[in-house]
Amino acid sequence: MKTLTVNGHDLTCAQVATTDFPLDVSIADDARKRCRASRALLEKMMTERRTLYGITTGFGDSVDTAVDPAGADSLQ
């Protein structure tokens, strides 16, 4: 079984498209740390009631519609 490692820098659609399945996917430790930091920043911004397109607002024509942070999970 081939393993693809996601590191946030060089994985291409072509690599995924030409890979035989089943496929084992791993996440590099550094990428995992960056994801956690990104999530922490997102949660901080939501706590601050910041306007975040598609997270605390609707999409497209609904961009002016505020979404309560408590309901953001269901929007996603």
Side-chain angles (χ1 to χ4, degrees):
M1 181 181 315
K2 183 174 181 176
T3 299
L4 286 181
T5 300
V6 177
N7 63 21
H9 298 291
D10 56 11
L11 181 64
T12 67
C13 292
Q15 286 175 297
V16 175
T18 59
T19 299
D20 293 329
F21 292 94
L23 173 66
D24 187 36
V25 178
S26 67
I27 301 173
D29 288 339
D30 184 55
R32 191 178 304 275
K33 287 176 188 173
R34 291 192 318 270
C35 284
R36 287 185 177 134
S38 178
R39 175 63 187 224
L41 177 60
L42 173 63
E43 289 179 2
K44 178 181 182 287
M45 292 171 78
M46 289 177 67
T47 300
E48 295 170 349
R49 304 288 243 175
R50 303 266 303 265
T51 300
L52 305 166
Y53 177 76
I55 298 171
T56 60
T57 73
F59 299 95
D61 290 345
S62 298
V63 68
D64 295 325
T65 303
V67 174
D68 181 21
D73 285 347
S74 62
L75 177 64
Q76 298 303 312

